[in-house]
Every structure is written in structure tokens, then in C-alpha cells.
Amino acid sequence: LGWDFKQVRIIKVNLSQSSYEIQIGVGLLRQVGDTLKSSGFQDKAAIITNPAIRELYGNSLKADLEKAGFRPVILEVPEGEEHKSLGWAGKLYFSLSEYQAERMTPVLALGGGVIGDLAGFVAATYMRGVPLIQLPTSLLAQVDSSTGGKVAVDHGRLKNMIGSFYQPKLVIADISSLKTLHEKEFANGQAEVIKHGLILDRSLFETIESGVERLESMDEEFLQDVISRSIAIKAGVVEKDERDMGLRNILNYGHTVGHAIETASDLSIKHGSAVAIGMVAAGMISERMGILPSSELDRIISVISRVRLPVKIPGLNIREIMEVMEHDKKKKGGKIRFVLLKAIGQGFISNEVSVPLVERVLMELS
Ligand SMILES: NC(=O)c1ccc[n+]([C@@H]2O[C@H](COP(=O)([O-])OP(=O)(O)OC[C@H]3O[C@@H](n4cnc5c(N)ncnc54)[C@H](O)[C@@H]3O)[C@@H](O)[C@H]2O)c1
Ligand SMILES: [Zn+2]
């Protein structure tokens, strides 16, 4: 091991149809023009972003692309999940055709997961697919949504109902962009990083465990290391199960209870917080079933609370959470499908979790 931190780290995602590279480094957004040129792109490039991110990174990205000889355009979508919609996809198709985007015109998704999913969906469908470049700027988008090729829009209240699998041509994660991210959004992404460690990479978990302070202070060298390893976990799972036929379910650790908490709270509890509680719950269930040693559970709870994510359910009706879960599509023959842990770094999918046990654990957490 041992890499130079100013150096870009590269993770390759090897898929049967389309392989691509993920670059993780400091200041990479300032080099996108050159990177695209050396990847064979030229002339037009459509940057899709929201107004705040445009101010922070979009305008300078456009200027850099111009310097590199491109004729870019910025297409703005208002901030917020409610704009991850078919309506906004429609507006973007219209703008792209006005711009005379062609089959080889890259779409650059500059922003968090909302922009990534929406721009990705548009790139997947405009002219039956144009090249997609993910430029994730939130921690969640860097470690989770930009890798894996799931693109989608919401349909009313149904999240990610309309979508596709469409892999990007390239992902560029610029660590420096995280500096402007709101603390709450950073915590959101941290939950997914911890999740990746818990299910498949004990040493990643231990790096975080002994480096919480470096994470909280956004030490760039530490972030580059942890983000790269987190992406590598997701990329490895995606390589084995691109189309989500089984193994990819392991990425749902903490999400069975997590989703139910998000829904029962009417989305007032953020995804990362809900998943954090869900990871504690799934850990407790694993421990109660005699699968996970309690010393391991203690370490999990300790790390989650040290990064200031919640480990208890704040004032929600447990019955309501249970009802959401029982309606959940993951429900299977009276059992709820859970990802459990044999140990830190060893997740597995189980259909053996009993509903009363889940309820008991949630009561304990309330
Ligand atoms: N495709 C997938 O596999 C996948 C996986 C997980 C989540 N998602 C989707 O991702 C979305 C959530 O993504 P998210 O958590 O990034 O939310 P988001 O895109 O809404 O971003 C969160 C907030 O941070 C702001 N922001 C982003 N980067 C910033 C920066 N560098 N500086 C300052 N502000 C910045 C955004 O404008 C927004 O206000 C959801 O729609 C979810 O469904 C998709
Ligand atoms: Zn998640």
C-alpha cells in the first residue's frame, strides 16, 4: 500500500458491457476539461446542476471547460428531491435539444445524489443514451449514488420508481468539494461509509474507529483514503451483481429499519440518520440471535454515536414503524429480509428474523 495523497486514486469498475474509472482526489474538479479531452470528448458538454452548486463549482467548471476548448452549457434544476421528477427530466430534454446536444455530447452531473440520479436518468434516455460523467459533490453521492449505475426519478411519493441501469463513463470525486457541504449532509454520507465497513471491510471500519477526529475535521488525506475504500466496496458488489439480482442486497444493511423510520417520520428524519439507527437495530438483532458477539455490537454503537449520528429512535411510534416495514416489499412469507452481521466486516442476508424480535429491539431503542 502507501499512496501519495496528492495523487489521484483510481478505482476501476469492471462490467461485462461497460467498464469505467472512478477518480478520487483533491482539486480534481479543476482538471475536468483536460480529463475529458484526454478521454476523447470535444466540443459540447452539458453540465446539469442546481443554483447553489453552480455558484460554488459550476461556473468555474464551465470556464475551465471553455479554456480546454469546449463549448459547454449549464442547465439548472432547482434544489430538492421534489425536482427529481419526470417533469424536470422533460425540461432537461428540451434544453438539451435546444443546445443541439448530440449522441456524443457528455452530460456532466454536478451535485449530490438528486442531481446525479436525475441527470443520469436524462443521460440514459436522451437520444437513447448519451455519455454520463458523474461529478459527485456530496459525501453520499461520492461513496454511494454515483457508483453503480442506478439512475431514476421519483413518481409522486414513490421514490426512484422510474429508472434504469445506466453506467457512467467516468466518475470524478473531488474531495475538496466536501468542504462546503453542510454538516448534516456530511453525516448523511458517513452513515453509508460506516455501512460499507460493517458489511464487507473490517479494516475500513477500524480505520474510522481510530480516526473519527480526522474524519470530523475533514482531513483530506484521511477522507481520500476512507472514501476510496468505501467506493471500492460498493464497486466490488456492483461488479458481481450489476442488475441487483441478489448480492447487491447486502448494501441495504441498516436500510430495512432505516427506510421504515424515514417513512414513519414523514421524511423529517434524514436518510443517513435513519440508516444509522437501522444499523444499530440490525446489529442488535444479529446479537440477540446469537450471531454477532456483543463486544462487536458495542463498537458499532460507539462509532456511530462518535460521528454524531443517532443510535436511538427519537419520539416515533414503534407500531407505525413496524407497519411500514410489514408493508415493505422486502417482506417475504411472514419474515422480513434483513442484512445481519456475523462480525464487523461480515454481512449476510437473512430471512430468519422474526417480527417480534424486530419489535422488541425497536422498543429497546425508543
Ligand atoms: N443511485 C443510487 O444508487 C442512489 C443511492 C443512494 C441515494 N440515491 C439518491 O441520492 C439522493 C440523495 O443524495 P444526497 O444525499 O447527495 O442529497 P442532495 O443531492 O439533495 O444533496 C444534499 C444537499 O447538499 C447540497 N450539496 C451537494 N454538494 C454540495 C457541496 N459540495 N457543497 C455544498 N452543498 C452541497 C445539495 O445542493 C443539497 O442541498 C436521493 O434522491 C437518493 O434517492 C441514489
Ligand atoms: Zn442509503
PDB file of all heavy atoms in Angstrom, residues 140 144 192 195 251 255 259 271 275, ligand 2:
ATOM      1  N   LEU A 140     -22.414  11.555   0.257  1.00  0.00           N
ATOM      2  CA  LEU A 140     -23.275  10.427  -0.106  1.00  0.00           C
ATOM      3  C   LEU A 140     -23.152  10.101  -1.589  1.00  0.00           C
ATOM      4  O   LEU A 140     -23.062   8.954  -1.994  1.00  0.00           O
ATOM      5  CB  LEU A 140     -24.736  10.706   0.256  1.00  0.00           C
ATOM      6  CG  LEU A 140     -25.641   9.513  -0.068  1.00  0.00           C
ATOM      7  CD1 LEU A 140     -26.494   9.138   1.109  1.00  0.00           C
ATOM      8  CD2 LEU A 140     -26.472   9.735  -1.309  1.00  0.00           C
ATOM      9  N   ASP A 144     -21.664   6.540  -2.625  1.00  0.00           N
ATOM     10  CA  ASP A 144     -22.815   5.673  -2.841  1.00  0.00           C
ATOM     11  C   ASP A 144     -23.465   5.869  -4.217  1.00  0.00           C
ATOM     12  O   ASP A 144     -23.291   5.049  -5.122  1.00  0.00           O
ATOM     13  CB  ASP A 144     -23.837   5.896  -1.705  1.00  0.00           C
ATOM     14  CG  ASP A 144     -24.927   4.844  -1.655  1.00  0.00           C
ATOM     15  OD1 ASP A 144     -25.015   4.031  -2.593  1.00  0.00           O
ATOM     16  OD2 ASP A 144     -25.695   4.819  -0.670  1.00  0.00           O
ATOM     17  N   GLU A 192     -23.240   5.841   5.249  1.00  0.00           N
ATOM     18  CA  GLU A 192     -23.011   4.847   4.187  1.00  0.00           C
ATOM     19  C   GLU A 192     -21.567   4.331   4.211  1.00  0.00           C
ATOM     20  O   GLU A 192     -21.315   3.166   3.909  1.00  0.00           O
ATOM     21  CB  GLU A 192     -23.348   5.423   2.808  1.00  0.00           C
ATOM     22  CG  GLU A 192     -24.738   6.064   2.683  1.00  0.00           C
ATOM     23  CD  GLU A 192     -25.922   5.085   2.714  1.00  0.00           C
ATOM     24  OE1 GLU A 192     -25.699   3.855   2.668  1.00  0.00           O
ATOM     25  OE2 GLU A 192     -27.077   5.578   2.795  1.00  0.00           O
ATOM     26  N   LYS A 195     -21.441   1.858   6.918  1.00  0.00           N
ATOM     27  CA  LYS A 195     -22.149   0.671   6.408  1.00  0.00           C
ATOM     28  C   LYS A 195     -21.224  -0.194   5.555  1.00  0.00           C
ATOM     29  O   LYS A 195     -21.175  -1.420   5.727  1.00  0.00           O
ATOM     30  CB  LYS A 195     -23.367   1.116   5.573  1.00  0.00           C
ATOM     31  CG  LYS A 195     -24.142  -0.027   4.943  1.00  0.00           C
ATOM     32  CD  LYS A 195     -25.119   0.474   3.878  1.00  0.00           C
ATOM     33  CE  LYS A 195     -24.428   0.782   2.571  1.00  0.00           C
ATOM     34  NZ  LYS A 195     -25.346   1.252   1.504  1.00  0.00           N
ATOM     35  N   LEU A 251     -25.977  -4.269   0.402  1.00  0.00           N
ATOM     36  CA  LEU A 251     -25.806  -2.811   0.569  1.00  0.00           C
ATOM     37  C   LEU A 251     -26.972  -2.193   1.329  1.00  0.00           C
ATOM     38  O   LEU A 251     -26.946  -1.019   1.667  1.00  0.00           O
ATOM     39  CB  LEU A 251     -25.657  -2.134  -0.802  1.00  0.00           C
ATOM     40  CG  LEU A 251     -24.425  -2.540  -1.616  1.00  0.00           C
ATOM     41  CD1 LEU A 251     -24.532  -2.020  -3.050  1.00  0.00           C
ATOM     42  CD2 LEU A 251     -23.140  -2.015  -0.968  1.00  0.00           C
ATOM     43  N   HIS A 255     -30.930  -0.526   6.213  1.00  0.00           N
ATOM     44  CA  HIS A 255     -31.948   0.168   5.422  1.00  0.00           C
ATOM     45  C   HIS A 255     -33.360  -0.367   5.605  1.00  0.00           C
ATOM     46  O   HIS A 255     -34.316   0.320   5.282  1.00  0.00           O
ATOM     47  CB  HIS A 255     -31.572   0.155   3.937  1.00  0.00           C
ATOM     48  CG  HIS A 255     -30.493   1.154   3.584  1.00  0.00           C
ATOM     49  ND1 HIS A 255     -29.230   1.100   4.143  1.00  0.00           N
ATOM     50  CD2 HIS A 255     -30.476   2.234   2.765  1.00  0.00           C
ATOM     51  CE1 HIS A 255     -28.497   2.102   3.659  1.00  0.00           C
ATOM     52  NE2 HIS A 255     -29.234   2.805   2.825  1.00  0.00           N
ATOM     53  N   HIS A 259     -35.419   2.716   6.249  1.00  0.00           N
ATOM     54  CA  HIS A 259     -36.494   3.206   5.373  1.00  0.00           C
ATOM     55  C   HIS A 259     -37.790   3.381   6.136  1.00  0.00           C
ATOM     56  O   HIS A 259     -38.522   4.351   5.937  1.00  0.00           O
ATOM     57  CB  HIS A 259     -36.736   2.240   4.206  1.00  0.00           C
ATOM     58  CG  HIS A 259     -35.771   2.428   3.081  1.00  0.00           C
ATOM     59  ND1 HIS A 259     -35.290   1.367   2.354  1.00  0.00           N
ATOM     60  CD2 HIS A 259     -35.195   3.533   2.572  1.00  0.00           C
ATOM     61  CE1 HIS A 259     -34.440   1.824   1.441  1.00  0.00           C
ATOM     62  NE2 HIS A 259     -34.363   3.132   1.552  1.00  0.00           N
ATOM     63  N   HIS A 271     -32.161  10.503   5.723  1.00  0.00           N
ATOM     64  CA  HIS A 271     -31.769   9.160   5.338  1.00  0.00           C
ATOM     65  C   HIS A 271     -30.598   8.615   6.169  1.00  0.00           C
ATOM     66  O   HIS A 271     -30.684   7.522   6.722  1.00  0.00           O
ATOM     67  CB  HIS A 271     -31.429   9.139   3.851  1.00  0.00           C
ATOM     68  CG  HIS A 271     -31.052   7.787   3.340  1.00  0.00           C
ATOM     69  ND1 HIS A 271     -31.973   6.775   3.162  1.00  0.00           N
ATOM     70  CD2 HIS A 271     -29.847   7.258   2.990  1.00  0.00           C
ATOM     71  CE1 HIS A 271     -31.357   5.702   2.709  1.00  0.00           C
ATOM     72  NE2 HIS A 271     -30.075   5.954   2.601  1.00  0.00           N
ATOM     73  N   VAL A 275     -30.709   5.476   8.661  1.00  0.00           N
ATOM     74  CA  VAL A 275     -29.879   4.303   8.398  1.00  0.00           C
ATOM     75  C   VAL A 275     -28.973   4.011   9.602  1.00  0.00           C
ATOM     76  O   VAL A 275     -28.731   2.856   9.950  1.00  0.00           O
ATOM     77  CB  VAL A 275     -29.046   4.494   7.107  1.00  0.00           C
ATOM     78  CG1 VAL A 275     -27.967   3.421   6.975  1.00  0.00           C
ATOM     79  CG2 VAL A 275     -29.964   4.463   5.879  1.00  0.00           C
TER      80      VAL A 275
HETATM   81 ZN    ZN B   2     -28.642   4.657   1.868  1.00  0.00          ZN
END
